[in-house]
């Protein structure tokens, strides 16, 4: 049993968060992760508030355990979703892809524990001052929107810049990664890509097959030119986008190329035109399991790695 302040803070059994994957992390997956003792998270992504409310209500029919909602701050619906989660009084809100300052007061007065993703020391200090309950330090190995720093560098820097518990994310796919994150000072971890192939995950069959077949060099980062770098699987879409990014086409045309591609991957499994977000650890994911089994397996493995760590010390 790994003892972590995160478990007491959030009333969960294992310090394992499921990443808020846009178009994928719905109420069903979140409830399965929470029932498995972790913290399930519903992704608001680019969806309107009504969708998020439906998923919160669905999750509540499937679990009586705490779960969270991830708010993607670049979403055109961020304001109304921010209002809806306060209304619904969800246990935890995580934020991504931006600065959550303008919503903090509203969420804190609704009794919500706010846990922002921080890509830097400056953002860590800001949200610490504003009353965050913990922070997620997500390195660029992760899938989706990525920051500049790697998990190996970001986690200790974030730990040194706040008294809050730190959840490590990006590049964690098994118990070795969990153990390493704890060694860097984290009190918990978040995984997204590993949960893409959970039995309860609604991602399209083609998505799951591509994750299961991924190898070490299967992902690429695109979107740097527009200031929203995103890691995804190498596909005809990402190759074409990558080429366009380094061509002379105007920014608006490039932006238009990406529109709708996340949905095409997650729901239609469109192998030509879809953008299949995935972290570098996709290469480690080679079996489908129930979410609860994923959590148990990585935690048992992490415990054994951590217990063996003293072999390095004479
Ligand atoms: O948010 C994510 N990952 C995501 S969001 C997403 S959906 C999307 N749709 C269209 C364009 C881009 C993404 C897919 N994957 N991860 C958390 C994360 N947050 N990583 C990095 C950050 C971040 C970056 C900058 C957090 C705060 C931040 O602040 C910048 C500032 O100073 O305002």
């Amino acid at each position: 049993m790994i003892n972590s302040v995160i478990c007491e803070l959030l009333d969960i059994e294992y310090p394992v968060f499921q990443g808020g994957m846009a178009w994928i992390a719905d109420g069903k997956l979140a409830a399965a992760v929470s029932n498995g003792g972790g913290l399930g998270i519903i992704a608001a992504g680019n969806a309107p508030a009504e969708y998020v409310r439906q998923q919160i209500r669905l999750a509540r029919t499937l679990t009586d355990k705490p779960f969270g909602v991830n708010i993607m701050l670049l979403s055109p619906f961020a304001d109304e979703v921010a209002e809806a989660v306060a209304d619904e009084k969800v246990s935890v809100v995580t934020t991504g892809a931006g600065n959550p300052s303008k919503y903090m007061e509203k969420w804190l007065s609704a009794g919500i524990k706010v846990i922002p993703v921080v890509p830097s020391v400056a953002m860590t200090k800001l949200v610490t001052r504003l009353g965050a309950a913990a922070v997620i330090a997500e390195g660029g190995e992760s899938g989706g929107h990525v920051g500049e720093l790697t998990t190996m560098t970001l986690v200790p820097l974030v730990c040194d810049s706040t008294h809050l518990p730190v959840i490590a994310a990006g590049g964690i796919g098994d118990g070795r990664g969990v153990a390493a994150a704890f060694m860097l000072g984290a009190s918990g971890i978040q995984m997204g890509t590993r949960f893409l192939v959970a039995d309860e995950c609604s991602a399209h069959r083609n998505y799951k097959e591509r994750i299961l077949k991924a190898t070490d060099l299967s992902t690429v980062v695109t979107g740097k030119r527009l200031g929203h770098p995103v890691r995804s699987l190498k596909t005809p879409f990402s190759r074409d986008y990558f080429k366009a990014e380094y061509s002379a086409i105007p920014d608006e045309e490039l932006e238009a190329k990406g529109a709708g591609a996340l949905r095409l991957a997650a729901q239609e499994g469109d192998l030509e035109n879809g953008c299949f977000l995935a972290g570098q650890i996709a290469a480690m994911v080679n079996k489908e399991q129930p979410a609860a089994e994923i959590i148990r397996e990585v935690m048992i493995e992490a415990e054994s790695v951590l217990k063996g760590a003293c072999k390095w010390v004479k």
Side-chain angles (χ1 to χ4, degrees), residues 3-279:
N3 202 12
S4 162
V5 291
I6 287 292
C7 296
E8 281 136 55
L9 177 72
L10 304 179
D11 193 24
I12 56 180
E13 197 180 341
Y14 300 106
V16 175
F17 288 19
Q18 160 248 313
M21 299 168 283
W23 290 104
I24 289 174
D26 55 12
K28 182 178 168 204
L29 179 62
V33 170
S34 290
N35 284 333
L39 186 77
I41 295 180
I42 294 166
N46 274 316
E50 201 36 49
Y51 166 84
V52 180
R53 275 188 203 275
Q54 275 169 14
Q55 296 305 315
I56 292 169
R57 287 171 190 169
L58 171 65
R60 283 186 174 141
T61 67
L62 299 172
T63 187
D64 52 9
K65 302 266 168 56
F67 61 86
V69 173
N70 173 260
I71 303 196
M72 210 281 280
L73 295 166
L74 291 171
S75 165
F77 298 107
D79 285 352
E80 63 174 63
V81 174
E83 196 71 49
V85 294
D87 230 42
E88 294 284 338
K89 299 200 185 312
V90 294
S91 307
V92 175
V93 163
T94 68
T95 62
N99 180 344
S101 300
K102 71 168 174 171
Y103 304 119
M104 292 287 291
E105 221 176 276
K106 185 199 305 281
W107 292 334
L108 295 177
S109 27
I112 294 171
K113 294 188 177 81
V114 184
I115 310 188
V117 169
V118 289
S120 64
V121 166
M123 187 62 75
T124 306
K125 288 183 175 164
L126 175 69
V127 299
T128 301
R129 242 188 359 262
L130 294 177
V135 292
I136 302 169
E138 185 181 283
E141 298 93 321
S142 71
H145 190 71
V146 290
E148 281 291 322
L149 298 173
T150 59
T151 302
M152 182 77 115
T153 304
L154 182 63
V155 172
L157 286 172
V158 167
C159 289
D160 288 347
S161 62
T162 183
H163 63 276
L164 298 175
V166 175
I167 292 102
I172 301 172
D174 65 14
R176 294 169 298 180
V178 175
F182 278 86
M183 292 298 92
L184 294 176
S187 307
I189 63 100
Q190 174 169 285
M191 294 189 296
T193 305
R194 177 95 190 240
F195 285 114
L196 275 172
V197 298
D199 292 344
E200 301 87 349
C201 176
S202 65
H204 193 278
R205 187 73 231 149
N206 291 349
Y207 208 140
K208 295 191 176 192
E209 292 294 340
R210 289 301 310 264
I211 296 293
L212 292 166
K213 290 196 183 110
T215 58
D216 52 352
L217 300 177
S218 289
T219 71
V220 62
V221 174
T222 55
K224 282 191 178 153
R225 185 174 127 192
L226 297 177
H228 308 309
V230 161
R231 182 180 296 285
S232 66
L233 292 176
K234 288 176 184 164
T235 57
F237 168 83
S238 65
R239 287 195 179 96
D240 177 56
Y241 194 97
F242 195 78
K243 259 196 229 138
E245 197 169 4
Y246 291 95
S247 77
I249 77 162
D251 282 0
E252 307 76 61
E253 247 177 78
L254 192 59
E255 192 98 56
K257 260 184 178 301
L262 299 187
R263 193 197 66 79
L264 283 180
Q267 292 188 343
E268 318 273 322
D270 186 334
L271 295 166
E272 285 291 316
N273 307 304
C275 177
F276 294 77
L277 300 182

